[in-house]
Amino acid sequence: MANLIDGRAIAEKVYVDLRREIAELKTKGVTPGLAVVLVGDDPASRAYVRSKDKMCRELGLHSVKLELPGSTTQTELLRRVEELNADPSIHGILVQSPPPAHIDEAAIVRALDPRKDVDGFHPENVAKLVLDDPSGFVPCTPLGVQRLLIESKININGAHIVVLGRSMIVGKPLALLLMQKNTNANATVTVVHSRSRDLEEITRSADIIVAAIGRPGFVKADHVREGAVVIDVGINRVEDGAAERGYRLVGDVAFDEVSKKASAITPVPGGVGPMTIAMLMSNTVKAARQSL
Ligand code: NDP
């Protein structure tokens, strides 16, 4: 049976370190500030924004929650971003994805001051990730996956890591991060996606599998070599009449069968999810530190 990688416990450890750093910044007169902008009233986005705001408050960060109506125009949203770019009490800005269809999300991301882009989606930060420049911001979920592996003492150096999924939010930046030339990376990375041939054969050669495809229970025991480490990024709603809300959350990995074969595995929920928000807080503190 696999060891369970407890994302909540590891996130708590991150918060202990962050609290120390936040206290230190406050002695220098700086309270890290995060602004989260939500356009429209998508219920899942609302829930994410609420939990980010709550975590900021728990850590004693300055938190601004900007809830704009779904009818907000591109020009108005750009104006708000400009205001936040110019606000010295704000060190990190994120515009909750996905915005309504009439908003050009890429243009909004480009309008962010890259020094405040704590989601790490601005082209300048993507370039810094490619260039191994540690002053940039790395997207929170990939950063959380790397931290989970490090804190769980799983060897990344020289390991063959197969990432399932090539999105700009998870798969692609994670592959770039894990192949960086440093001792917390140095992995041999293979990325597979919906057009990959022989996917199962490739995943079976992995020391570490990271699944980020958004397909409930896709990764089965047959995809996994005995003793491999399996990180499940997926968060998928599946209907469940017995559940209070009518659905439950499952990952991209068929947990029951894969956990019998893996040496370590993350649960869903309670694995990568809590790390994503911890890394957002960490990036905000980093932005404040770098503003000094
Ligand atoms: P996207 O839909 O943007 O990307 C999915 C990727 O998976 C694509 O590259 C796609 O390939 C690939 N894919 C889809 N189906 C298959 C398949 N059958 N075989 C192989 N590859 C496939 O998703 P995201 O990256 O945004 O999210 C992935 C999952 O992670 C979701 O469940 C999401 O909810 C979750 N997530 C969790 C977070 C957390 O905090 N834990 C944060 C962000 C996301 P192609 O490019 O060819 O289309």
Side-chain angles (χ1 to χ4, degrees):
M1 210 47 194
N3 284 324
L4 206 59
I5 300 175
D6 183 346
R8 290 198 183 102
I10 296 173
E12 277 313 316
K13 217 175 137 188
V14 171
Y15 291 132
V16 169
D17 293 345
L18 282 181
R19 283 200 164 86
R20 195 178 314 123
E21 199 175 345
I22 293 162
E24 214 177 291
L25 281 167
K26 285 187 177 175
T27 64
K28 295 180 180 145
V30 177
T31 300
L34 175 68
V36 180
V37 184
L38 175 66
V39 188
D41 51 11
D42 175 63
S45 296
R46 252 180 200 286
Y48 285 133
V49 169
R50 251 198 325 269
S51 58
K52 288 165 187 174
D53 178 54
K54 185 165 163 261
M55 189 46 73
C56 279
R57 287 168 197 282
E58 274 180 40
L59 291 174
L61 301 188
H62 172 51
S63 172
V64 172
K65 196 168 60 162
L66 214 59
E67 291 177 296
L68 305 175
S71 58
T72 305
T73 63
Q74 178 85 7
T75 313
E76 170 63 8
L77 185 54
L78 283 171
R79 197 179 62 75
R80 297 296 193 128
V81 166
E82 286 307 328
E83 272 172 21
L84 293 168
N85 280 344
D87 183 342
S89 74
I90 296 297
H91 303 93
I93 307 169
L94 79 82
V95 181
Q96 185 63 44
S97 192
H102 67 274
I103 298 289
D104 176 356
E105 191 174 7
I108 300 295
V109 170
R110 281 197 303 274
L112 292 169
D113 181 338
R115 291 167 301 183
K116 297 190 177 188
D117 167 40
V118 284
D119 256 346
F121 298 151
H122 189 285
E124 190 171 313
N125 284 313
V126 177
K128 285 185 171 179
L129 177 59
V130 176
L131 295 166
D132 285 22
D133 178 343
S135 72
F137 294 100
V138 177
C140 302
T141 302
L143 206 53
V145 169
Q146 184 191 40
R147 188 71 177 262
L148 273 183
L149 293 170
I150 294 168
E151 297 288 341
S152 307
K153 308 227 168 355
I154 292 160
N155 184 39
I156 306 177
N157 246 279
H160 181 210
I161 303 186
V162 174
V163 177
L164 289 95
R166 56 173 164 181
S167 75
M168 286 308 300
I169 299 173
V170 191
K172 204 179 279 182
L174 179 64
L176 290 167
L177 182 64
L178 295 174
M179 72 165 91
Q180 281 190 335
K181 198 165 179 170
N182 66 63
T183 50
N184 287 327
N186 286 335
T188 304
V189 182
T190 305
V191 179
V192 293
H193 46 75
S194 72
R195 305 291 195 278
S196 296
R197 244 190 305 125
D198 305 324
L199 184 143
E200 211 175 287
E201 209 172 291
I202 297 168
T203 57
R204 262 205 305 270
S205 73
D207 301 307
I208 301 170
I209 294 175
V210 184
I213 57 175
R215 301 274 179 271
F218 178 90
V219 175
K220 305 277 193 306
D222 282 347
H223 289 89
V224 181
R225 177 177 67 71
E226 192 79 42
V229 171
V230 179
I231 306 292
D232 191 352
V233 178
I235 301 180
N236 310 293
R237 283 184 181 193
V238 294
E239 274 185 41
D240 182 354
E244 200 181 307
R245 290 176 293 189
Y247 67 86
R248 69 196 152 82
L249 295 179
V250 300
D252 290 343
V253 176
F255 184 89
D256 291 343
E257 55 182 276
V258 172
S259 59
K260 292 193 182 91
K261 221 167 163 188
S263 61
I265 189 167
T266 57
V268 175
V272 176
M275 291 303 290
T276 296
I277 183 155
M279 291 302 107
L280 175 64
M281 300 298 126
S282 171
N283 274 350
T284 302
V285 171
K286 173 177 170 177
R289 191 193 329 124
Q290 292 189 162
S291 76
L292 284 174

